[in-house]
Amino acid sequence: MKQMDADVIIVAAGLSGLAAAVAAAEKGASVIAFEKSNTTGGAANMAMGPLGIGSRIQKEHMISLTPGEAFRKHMFFTHYKVDARLVRDYYFKSGDTIDWLMDMGVKFAGVQRAFTAPEATRAYSDGEFTWHVVQPEGGGIPGPRAATAMVKAMTDRATELGVQFMLETPVKEIMMEDGEAIGVRAVDKDGEEIECTGGAVIIATGGFGCNPDMIRDLCGFEFGKDIFNFAIPGMVGDGIKMAWAAGAGHTPCTMELMYQLPDNLNHFYVEGAFRQPCLWVNRLGERFMPEDQIANTTFTGNAISMLPGRVAFAIFDEALLKRWKKHGPDLVSHVHPHDLYEHFEAQWERDIAAGYEPVAEGMTVEELAKNAGIDPEGLAATIKEYNEMCAKGFDEIFEKDRQYMQPIGTGKLYCCRQTVGAYGTLGGILINHKMEVMTPDYQTIPGLYAVGTDACNIYGDSYTFTLPGNTMGFCVNSGRIAGENAVDFALVEE
Ligand SMILES: Cc1cc2nc3c(=O)[nH]c(=O)nc-3n(C[C@H](O)[C@H](O)[C@H](O)COP(=O)(O)OP(=O)(O)OC[C@H]3O[C@@H](n4cnc5c(N)ncnc54)[C@H](O)[C@@H]3O)c2cc1C
């Protein structure tokens, strides 16, 4: 067995682990980060950017939101059923953390709210400009994976500071002695066991989005049946299970819910094309929410999870497609391609020909209902009622914004079955605002810290879409705070 030693040991080099590594090394600690995969960054390599409040770039753009305002909004949204001190410390650090990232070479394309829609109908009229979208390497319009440039800058900075990365070397166990964390046991890619002792251990393994059993048992969804979340290989709950084995308290676990198509990145034009305030119904053919709200992916994911079979159906006709092709979409997503309707039909034809299950078309309402799996009578009744309301220019049921009240006409009808999705999981390990792991009776476990999604229990039952970039924001700030505190602990211990 190989023996190693470091002041601070980091379990995983994803986003929060990288932040912890840089922060600890900047304070003069020796740092070893064990990483299961062959690269750093974890899910952040798929992402676009973190939240920050009070950053230099916000000040330059006269975005005047304060950390205190964000804190109040967050706590109102979560009904104070989360740790207020933890939320407060995160938001008050977040602006400085963006500056810190910029100082290590991260470039941001700008600061965004989660999506663009007319002021009056934005999913949240109080949605804030907090999402610092990373400038992709080589420039261009930011989209999924833009944040790989940030991961690279953080990895470079950590390396420059002497952080030792042990790639393809998963941690298997936290070593405990007299109730204190004293190190980890890991196994490298050749199967050699490593025992690494040190002053403090920080757990940052990114949750369990790729563990169907934990998703079922802890969150109540059946992966591949009623949820189609991003399942990044390796995110199987290792850190949470190791922390629990070391005596950590449990927190509720949730999915960072939204809605998405199965294998969505290979059907991205179709997925994006239907994220519009057209007609949305459930399996019975009934409308279930004001469609001008569907750009709030958290709320829509929640709504779909409450429907029969946990599915919804978005429907539009040729006339609406023609309008979007000419004038662009009603709701602009910052995530999906910007030339959506130039490529939609080609992907649509391919998907229909390949029998991609979520898509269906028909030349009549009845044919569409049959092909899509919607109750035909229910759908016919809804479309009759909906078209009458469109003619009056007023949605008597949900008061959907009148500019989106476009009737379902004749010609080809397009339908896409919408399913619940998630970016990953949230929560599991009980921590305090210093990111120290706590026992079920709220005693800290000396030397043990947990950060990122493994410990992110600050949203209550629903992700706060009002303050976008929030998961990456929590990850990078919790990592940074833990890195700093772990050094204080480890060096005092020596
Ligand atoms: C498509 C997509 C887009 C997203 N976009 C955004 C966005 O724009 N803004 C935002 O705020 N959030 C976004 N998110 C969410 C965000 O990326 C994650 O919340 C964040 O990266 C989680 O950070 P983390 O440190 O907790 O875990 P990760 O960054 O996922 O890292 C976890 C790491 O742990 C490693 N690991 C696992 N087990 C072990 C073990 N036993 N030993 C050692 N290593 C281990 C993994 O290999 C991985 O590298 C997005 C997510 C996805 C999937």
PDB file of all heavy atoms in Angstrom, residues 383-402:
ATOM      1  N   ILE A 383     -58.881  21.720 -27.503  1.00  0.00           N
ATOM      2  CA  ILE A 383     -58.543  22.562 -28.652  1.00  0.00           C
ATOM      3  C   ILE A 383     -59.752  23.425 -29.057  1.00  0.00           C
ATOM      4  O   ILE A 383     -59.594  24.603 -29.391  1.00  0.00           O
ATOM      5  CB  ILE A 383     -58.006  21.703 -29.824  1.00  0.00           C
ATOM      6  CG1 ILE A 383     -56.613  21.182 -29.433  1.00  0.00           C
ATOM      7  CG2 ILE A 383     -57.948  22.495 -31.123  1.00  0.00           C
ATOM      8  CD1 ILE A 383     -55.900  20.353 -30.469  1.00  0.00           C
ATOM      9  N   LYS A 384     -60.940  22.863 -28.955  1.00  0.00           N
ATOM     10  CA  LYS A 384     -62.145  23.661 -29.278  1.00  0.00           C
ATOM     11  C   LYS A 384     -62.230  24.858 -28.321  1.00  0.00           C
ATOM     12  O   LYS A 384     -62.366  26.013 -28.733  1.00  0.00           O
ATOM     13  CB  LYS A 384     -63.382  22.772 -29.144  1.00  0.00           C
ATOM     14  CG  LYS A 384     -64.693  23.459 -29.488  1.00  0.00           C
ATOM     15  CD  LYS A 384     -65.828  22.419 -29.527  1.00  0.00           C
ATOM     16  CE  LYS A 384     -67.160  23.085 -29.833  1.00  0.00           C
ATOM     17  NZ  LYS A 384     -67.653  23.958 -28.766  1.00  0.00           N
ATOM     18  N   GLU A 385     -62.089  24.562 -27.039  1.00  0.00           N
ATOM     19  CA  GLU A 385     -62.171  25.633 -26.025  1.00  0.00           C
ATOM     20  C   GLU A 385     -61.038  26.655 -26.203  1.00  0.00           C
ATOM     21  O   GLU A 385     -61.239  27.869 -26.141  1.00  0.00           O
ATOM     22  CB  GLU A 385     -62.085  24.985 -24.640  1.00  0.00           C
ATOM     23  CG  GLU A 385     -62.131  25.952 -23.475  1.00  0.00           C
ATOM     24  CD  GLU A 385     -61.824  25.253 -22.148  1.00  0.00           C
ATOM     25  OE1 GLU A 385     -60.734  24.656 -22.007  1.00  0.00           O
ATOM     26  OE2 GLU A 385     -62.670  25.301 -21.250  1.00  0.00           O
ATOM     27  N   TYR A 386     -59.835  26.121 -26.458  1.00  0.00           N
ATOM     28  CA  TYR A 386     -58.653  26.981 -26.596  1.00  0.00           C
ATOM     29  C   TYR A 386     -58.807  27.892 -27.816  1.00  0.00           C
ATOM     30  O   TYR A 386     -58.549  29.105 -27.742  1.00  0.00           O
ATOM     31  CB  TYR A 386     -57.413  26.075 -26.725  1.00  0.00           C
ATOM     32  CG  TYR A 386     -56.090  26.802 -26.811  1.00  0.00           C
ATOM     33  CD1 TYR A 386     -55.543  27.412 -25.691  1.00  0.00           C
ATOM     34  CD2 TYR A 386     -55.370  26.846 -28.010  1.00  0.00           C
ATOM     35  CE1 TYR A 386     -54.305  28.063 -25.756  1.00  0.00           C
ATOM     36  CE2 TYR A 386     -54.143  27.485 -28.080  1.00  0.00           C
ATOM     37  CZ  TYR A 386     -53.611  28.099 -26.962  1.00  0.00           C
ATOM     38  OH  TYR A 386     -52.399  28.735 -27.030  1.00  0.00           O
ATOM     39  N   ASN A 387     -59.255  27.323 -28.931  1.00  0.00           N
ATOM     40  CA  ASN A 387     -59.417  28.125 -30.147  1.00  0.00           C
ATOM     41  C   ASN A 387     -60.484  29.211 -29.948  1.00  0.00           C
ATOM     42  O   ASN A 387     -60.341  30.332 -30.453  1.00  0.00           O
ATOM     43  CB  ASN A 387     -59.768  27.237 -31.342  1.00  0.00           C
ATOM     44  CG  ASN A 387     -58.533  26.498 -31.862  1.00  0.00           C
ATOM     45  OD1 ASN A 387     -57.416  26.743 -31.410  1.00  0.00           O
ATOM     46  ND2 ASN A 387     -58.732  25.590 -32.806  1.00  0.00           N
ATOM     47  N   GLU A 388     -61.522  28.889 -29.203  1.00  0.00           N
ATOM     48  CA  GLU A 388     -62.558  29.911 -28.928  1.00  0.00           C
ATOM     49  C   GLU A 388     -61.968  31.055 -28.099  1.00  0.00           C
ATOM     50  O   GLU A 388     -62.225  32.229 -28.344  1.00  0.00           O
ATOM     51  CB  GLU A 388     -63.749  29.279 -28.178  1.00  0.00           C
ATOM     52  CG  GLU A 388     -64.634  28.455 -29.082  1.00  0.00           C
ATOM     53  CD  GLU A 388     -65.628  27.566 -28.316  1.00  0.00           C
ATOM     54  OE1 GLU A 388     -65.714  27.686 -27.063  1.00  0.00           O
ATOM     55  OE2 GLU A 388     -66.281  26.739 -28.972  1.00  0.00           O
ATOM     56  N   MET A 389     -61.135  30.684 -27.127  1.00  0.00           N
ATOM     57  CA  MET A 389     -60.514  31.729 -26.293  1.00  0.00           C
ATOM     58  C   MET A 389     -59.521  32.550 -27.124  1.00  0.00           C
ATOM     59  O   MET A 389     -59.400  33.757 -26.933  1.00  0.00           O
ATOM     60  CB  MET A 389     -59.819  31.100 -25.078  1.00  0.00           C
ATOM     61  CG  MET A 389     -60.806  30.464 -24.102  1.00  0.00           C
ATOM     62  SD  MET A 389     -60.081  29.982 -22.508  1.00  0.00           S
ATOM     63  CE  MET A 389     -58.848  28.806 -22.962  1.00  0.00           C
ATOM     64  N   CYS A 390     -58.828  31.874 -28.052  1.00  0.00           N
ATOM     65  CA  CYS A 390     -57.901  32.603 -28.929  1.00  0.00           C
ATOM     66  C   CYS A 390     -58.683  33.637 -29.757  1.00  0.00           C
ATOM     67  O   CYS A 390     -58.222  34.770 -29.943  1.00  0.00           O
ATOM     68  CB  CYS A 390     -57.164  31.654 -29.869  1.00  0.00           C
ATOM     69  SG  CYS A 390     -55.950  30.620 -29.037  1.00  0.00           S
ATOM     70  N   ALA A 391     -59.857  33.231 -30.242  1.00  0.00           N
ATOM     71  CA  ALA A 391     -60.674  34.150 -31.060  1.00  0.00           C
ATOM     72  C   ALA A 391     -61.086  35.363 -30.214  1.00  0.00           C
ATOM     73  O   ALA A 391     -61.124  36.497 -30.706  1.00  0.00           O
ATOM     74  CB  ALA A 391     -61.895  33.423 -31.598  1.00  0.00           C
ATOM     75  N   LYS A 392     -61.369  35.123 -28.936  1.00  0.00           N
ATOM     76  CA  LYS A 392     -61.746  36.248 -28.041  1.00  0.00           C
ATOM     77  C   LYS A 392     -60.513  37.037 -27.600  1.00  0.00           C
ATOM     78  O   LYS A 392     -60.624  38.141 -27.083  1.00  0.00           O
ATOM     79  CB  LYS A 392     -62.423  35.692 -26.780  1.00  0.00           C
ATOM     80  CG  LYS A 392     -63.860  35.257 -26.968  1.00  0.00           C
ATOM     81  CD  LYS A 392     -64.456  34.957 -25.590  1.00  0.00           C
ATOM     82  CE  LYS A 392     -65.273  33.684 -25.647  1.00  0.00           C
ATOM     83  NZ  LYS A 392     -65.440  33.018 -24.383  1.00  0.00           N
ATOM     84  N   GLY A 393     -59.357  36.414 -27.750  1.00  0.00           N
ATOM     85  CA  GLY A 393     -58.109  37.094 -27.338  1.00  0.00           C
ATOM     86  C   GLY A 393     -57.899  37.074 -25.838  1.00  0.00           C
ATOM     87  O   GLY A 393     -57.134  37.870 -25.289  1.00  0.00           O
ATOM     88  N   PHE A 394     -58.565  36.145 -25.147  1.00  0.00           N
ATOM     89  CA  PHE A 394     -58.389  36.083 -23.697  1.00  0.00           C
ATOM     90  C   PHE A 394     -58.464  34.648 -23.197  1.00  0.00           C
ATOM     91  O   PHE A 394     -59.409  33.921 -23.514  1.00  0.00           O
ATOM     92  CB  PHE A 394     -59.453  36.943 -22.999  1.00  0.00           C
ATOM     93  CG  PHE A 394     -59.301  36.963 -21.499  1.00  0.00           C
ATOM     94  CD1 PHE A 394     -58.156  37.514 -20.916  1.00  0.00           C
ATOM     95  CD2 PHE A 394     -60.269  36.411 -20.666  1.00  0.00           C
ATOM     96  CE1 PHE A 394     -57.976  37.517 -19.543  1.00  0.00           C
ATOM     97  CE2 PHE A 394     -60.102  36.417 -19.279  1.00  0.00           C
ATOM     98  CZ  PHE A 394     -58.958  36.977 -18.726  1.00  0.00           C
ATOM     99  N   ASP A 395     -57.467  34.244 -22.431  1.00  0.00           N
ATOM    100  CA  ASP A 395     -57.425  32.901 -21.842  1.00  0.00           C
ATOM    101  C   ASP A 395     -58.186  32.941 -20.513  1.00  0.00           C
ATOM    102  O   ASP A 395     -57.661  33.403 -19.505  1.00  0.00           O
ATOM    103  CB  ASP A 395     -55.946  32.504 -21.641  1.00  0.00           C
ATOM    104  CG  ASP A 395     -55.774  31.210 -20.862  1.00  0.00           C
ATOM    105  OD1 ASP A 395     -56.773  30.524 -20.592  1.00  0.00           O
ATOM    106  OD2 ASP A 395     -54.606  30.891 -20.526  1.00  0.00           O
ATOM    107  N   GLU A 396     -59.424  32.434 -20.558  1.00  0.00           N
ATOM    108  CA  GLU A 396     -60.264  32.511 -19.346  1.00  0.00           C
ATOM    109  C   GLU A 396     -59.809  31.531 -18.269  1.00  0.00           C
ATOM    110  O   GLU A 396     -60.216  31.636 -17.117  1.00  0.00           O
ATOM    111  CB  GLU A 396     -61.723  32.228 -19.710  1.00  0.00           C
ATOM    112  CG  GLU A 396     -62.379  33.399 -20.402  1.00  0.00           C
ATOM    113  CD  GLU A 396     -63.627  33.005 -21.155  1.00  0.00           C
ATOM    114  OE1 GLU A 396     -64.127  31.876 -20.964  1.00  0.00           O
ATOM    115  OE2 GLU A 396     -64.098  33.838 -21.945  1.00  0.00           O
ATOM    116  N   ILE A 397     -59.025  30.550 -18.661  1.00  0.00           N
ATOM    117  CA  ILE A 397     -58.606  29.550 -17.657  1.00  0.00           C
ATOM    118  C   ILE A 397     -57.362  30.030 -16.890  1.00  0.00           C
ATOM    119  O   ILE A 397     -57.385  30.164 -15.681  1.00  0.00           O
ATOM    120  CB  ILE A 397     -58.284  28.192 -18.331  1.00  0.00           C
ATOM    121  CG1 ILE A 397     -59.397  27.770 -19.288  1.00  0.00           C
ATOM    122  CG2 ILE A 397     -57.989  27.119 -17.282  1.00  0.00           C
ATOM    123  CD1 ILE A 397     -60.684  27.354 -18.668  1.00  0.00           C
ATOM    124  N   PHE A 398     -56.283  30.283 -17.634  1.00  0.00           N
ATOM    125  CA  PHE A 398     -55.016  30.599 -16.964  1.00  0.00           C
ATOM    126  C   PHE A 398     -54.521  32.025 -17.212  1.00  0.00           C
ATOM    127  O   PHE A 398     -53.435  32.394 -16.750  1.00  0.00           O
ATOM    128  CB  PHE A 398     -53.918  29.622 -17.410  1.00  0.00           C
ATOM    129  CG  PHE A 398     -54.050  28.238 -16.825  1.00  0.00           C
ATOM    130  CD1 PHE A 398     -54.149  27.134 -17.665  1.00  0.00           C
ATOM    131  CD2 PHE A 398     -54.072  28.027 -15.459  1.00  0.00           C
ATOM    132  CE1 PHE A 398     -54.250  25.846 -17.141  1.00  0.00           C
ATOM    133  CE2 PHE A 398     -54.178  26.747 -14.927  1.00  0.00           C
ATOM    134  CZ  PHE A 398     -54.271  25.656 -15.762  1.00  0.00           C
ATOM    135  N   GLU A 399     -55.266  32.790 -17.977  1.00  0.00           N
ATOM    136  CA  GLU A 399     -54.864  34.165 -18.297  1.00  0.00           C
ATOM    137  C   GLU A 399     -53.461  34.209 -18.920  1.00  0.00           C
ATOM    138  O   GLU A 399     -52.635  35.071 -18.594  1.00  0.00           O
ATOM    139  CB  GLU A 399     -54.936  35.060 -17.052  1.00  0.00           C
ATOM    140  CG  GLU A 399     -56.347  35.126 -16.493  1.00  0.00           C
ATOM    141  CD  GLU A 399     -56.486  36.036 -15.286  1.00  0.00           C
ATOM    142  OE1 GLU A 399     -55.474  36.583 -14.828  1.00  0.00           O
ATOM    143  OE2 GLU A 399     -57.619  36.188 -14.814  1.00  0.00           O
ATOM    144  N   LYS A 400     -53.186  33.244 -19.793  1.00  0.00           N
ATOM    145  CA  LYS A 400     -51.914  33.284 -20.536  1.00  0.00           C
ATOM    146  C   LYS A 400     -51.823  34.592 -21.313  1.00  0.00           C
ATOM    147  O   LYS A 400     -52.826  35.079 -21.838  1.00  0.00           O
ATOM    148  CB  LYS A 400     -51.857  32.085 -21.494  1.00  0.00           C
ATOM    149  CG  LYS A 400     -50.754  32.146 -22.530  1.00  0.00           C
ATOM    150  CD  LYS A 400     -50.402  30.768 -23.083  1.00  0.00           C
ATOM    151  CE  LYS A 400     -51.016  30.452 -24.410  1.00  0.00           C
ATOM    152  NZ  LYS A 400     -50.579  29.163 -24.961  1.00  0.00           N
ATOM    153  N   ASP A 401     -50.634  35.120 -21.408  1.00  0.00           N
ATOM    154  CA  ASP A 401     -50.454  36.381 -22.124  1.00  0.00           C
ATOM    155  C   ASP A 401     -51.103  36.302 -23.515  1.00  0.00           C
ATOM    156  O   ASP A 401     -50.860  35.345 -24.253  1.00  0.00           O
ATOM    157  CB  ASP A 401     -48.955  36.659 -22.257  1.00  0.00           C
ATOM    158  CG  ASP A 401     -48.705  38.053 -22.776  1.00  0.00           C
ATOM    159  OD1 ASP A 401     -48.897  38.264 -23.989  1.00  0.00           O
ATOM    160  OD2 ASP A 401     -48.337  38.928 -21.975  1.00  0.00           O
ATOM    161  N   ARG A 402     -51.892  37.344 -23.847  1.00  0.00           N
ATOM    162  CA  ARG A 402     -52.719  37.257 -25.048  1.00  0.00           C
ATOM    163  C   ARG A 402     -51.894  37.145 -26.340  1.00  0.00           C
ATOM    164  O   ARG A 402     -52.350  36.591 -27.324  1.00  0.00           O
ATOM    165  CB  ARG A 402     -53.692  38.428 -25.140  1.00  0.00           C
ATOM    166  CG  ARG A 402     -53.029  39.791 -25.242  1.00  0.00           C
ATOM    167  CD  ARG A 402     -54.055  40.872 -25.576  1.00  0.00           C
ATOM    168  NE  ARG A 402     -55.097  40.969 -24.551  1.00  0.00           N
ATOM    169  CZ  ARG A 402     -56.393  41.100 -24.846  1.00  0.00           C
ATOM    170  NH1 ARG A 402     -56.793  41.151 -26.087  1.00  0.00           N
ATOM    171  NH2 ARG A 402     -57.274  41.221 -23.875  1.00  0.00           N
TER     172      ARG A 402
END
